[in-house]
Amino acid sequence: MGKPKGIGLCIGLNVAFLIATAGCAGLKLQLVDHSVRRPSNVAVYFTVETRNGDPVANLTPQDFHIYEDKQPVSILESKQTILNPEIAAIHYTLLLVDLSGSVVDSGEMPALIEAASTFGDRVGPYQKVAVYTFDGSPHLTQVVPFGGNVRGGVAALATRRPSDPSTNLNGAVIEGVRVLQQQMEHAPLPLRFGTLVVFTDGTDRAHRASEDDVARSLDGAGFDTYVIGAGQEVDSKQLSRIGRSGTFASQNRADVQRGFTEISARIEAASKRYYLLSYCSPSRAGEHEVEVEANGAGTSGRLAYRFNANGFGPGCDPNTRPSFDVKHPRQPPPAKAAGQRPPPEGGPPPAGKGGVGGTGWNPKR
């Protein structure tokens, strides 16, 4: 096997994984974590995307082929299966909702409440969603805890009034990062993932924190960040510095629902790109090169690694919970937006351009 570009070496329990992706392949497989345990269980948690960064969802065990030392491993012999990722991984989404005076008095609160509720309905099956609000005050207000009833909690926003009518957008983002990091730190599972989503109708007016403060906070966040901006004061350039994984920006307040729909669609699709593949290795001793090939979207891609099979034997059950390292959790790098462009102010998005749903923004993973 030729030396691939961008090889990463990850050392794990009794195993050295050599991450490789075929340069000509159409799918990109990225390792998140791996597990090797006796009697002969091998499990790998990874993502599958197209070369353009689009998530590839709904692959079945039959869509994967496993090779050890260049030789195909029989599905019947390996008993390969896709485990429910919830046994090893947990995903959190924190939604920050702007409740400054301009939002509450805009007349669009019913639309905002329904948009946030629909967001929870769509993302909730895949991630534990929490909702916090901010205005000009120095701290966030919790509306829904992680994994709580988003629709029921958000409905109460109809009677909320801001404590401070200003907009502490920068401070809210910094505190939101802190809240999400703390939640992930205390997660009960070894694989933890986070997504921060911010809705606002404008820019920071409180000046409690600077843009540099926000940048430093996001630099150390280690998770995806999205922004939904709808209102006449929306500054797409400022918002894109916060929404590093994707930004929807429109000066038309009526685009609130569209913004939430597109961001939730992106998060839902990203959630489905994760796979926890488990199989029983036929090897019984020594080091071996393994390749996992995924076939989908009319093309394929591979993930390669090496593992040590010393001490392996019969009696393997591929449904056994993998032994991921709880003390040293792993997570993939956050998504980065590339070439995104906000929709025209007050108008529909350009046809046939951009990313999700044909809008003018184009986040890349």
Side-chain angles (χ1 to χ4, degrees), residues 294-343:
N295 296 275
T299 184
S300 65
R302 289 195 180 193
L303 176 74
Y305 57 90
R306 299 187 67 84
F307 77 98
N308 191 315
N310 287 339
F312 273 20
C316 167
D317 179 358
N319 293 300
T320 301
R321 183 186 295 267
S323 57
F324 294 119
D325 189 350
V326 177
K327 294 182 178 179
H328 302 90
R330 297 174 182 268
Q331 62 186 64
K336 293 184 178 180
Q340 64 182 25
R341 185 162 48 87

Side-chain angles (χ1 to χ4, degrees), residues 4 20 32 41 45 67 105 121 149 158-159 166 173 181 210-212 223 249 261 265 271 306 332:
V32 177
N41 294 74
Y45 193 53
Y67 301 85
D105 296 329
D121 292 342
N149 183 348
T159 59
S166 185
V173 171
Q181 286 176 328
S210 69
E211 291 186 5
D212 288 340
F223 45 69
T261 297
S271 299
R306 299 187 67 84

Side-chain angles (χ1 to χ4, degrees), residues 30-33 44-49 55-59 64 82-86 89-92 126-127 191-195 222-224 226 266-277 330-335 365:
Q30 179 177 335
L31 177 75
V32 177
D33 208 348
V44 57
Y45 193 53
F46 57 97
T47 60
V48 181
E49 300 174 336
V56 178
N58 303 319
L59 297 181
F64 295 96
I82 295 176
L83 300 178
N84 186 338
E86 292 183 1
I90 190 166
H91 296 246
Y92 296 106
Y126 309 99
Q127 308 204 16
L191 307 181
R192 303 96 181 259
F193 307 88
T195 301
F223 45 69
D224 293 346
Y226 296 91
R266 183 66 187 180
I267 296 173
E268 179 187 17
S271 299
K272 293 180 178 180
R273 68 187 175 132
Y274 290 91
Y275 294 90
L276 178 52
L277 183 66
R330 297 174 182 268
Q331 62 186 64
R365 280 190 175 267

Side-chain angles (χ1 to χ4, degrees), residues 245-307:
S245 305
T247 300
F248 177 94
S250 173
Q251 292 192 335
N252 185 350
R253 287 187 181 274
D255 285 335
V256 168
Q257 181 67 65
R258 189 172 57 144
F260 271 91
T261 297
E262 293 185 5
I263 294 297
S264 63
R266 183 66 187 180
I267 296 173
E268 179 187 17
S271 299
K272 293 180 178 180
R273 68 187 175 132
Y274 290 91
Y275 294 90
L276 178 52
L277 183 66
S278 176
Y279 79 99
C280 297
S281 172
S283 298
R284 294 295 180 260
E287 288 198 358
H288 303 272
E289 182 183 69
V290 180
E291 291 178 283
V292 176
E293 179 185 77
N295 296 275
T299 184
S300 65
R302 289 195 180 193
L303 176 74
Y305 57 90
R306 299 187 67 84
F307 77 98

Side-chain angles (χ1 to χ4, degrees), residues 127-162:
Q127 308 204 16
K128 294 188 179 299
V129 180
V131 181
Y132 284 62
T133 61
F134 66 94
D135 49 28
S137 305
H139 299 295
L140 301 173
T141 299
Q142 184 189 85
V143 177
V144 180
F146 286 98
N149 183 348
V150 174
R151 182 168 287 274
V154 169
L157 297 182
T159 59
R160 293 282 184 93
R161 297 295 303 176

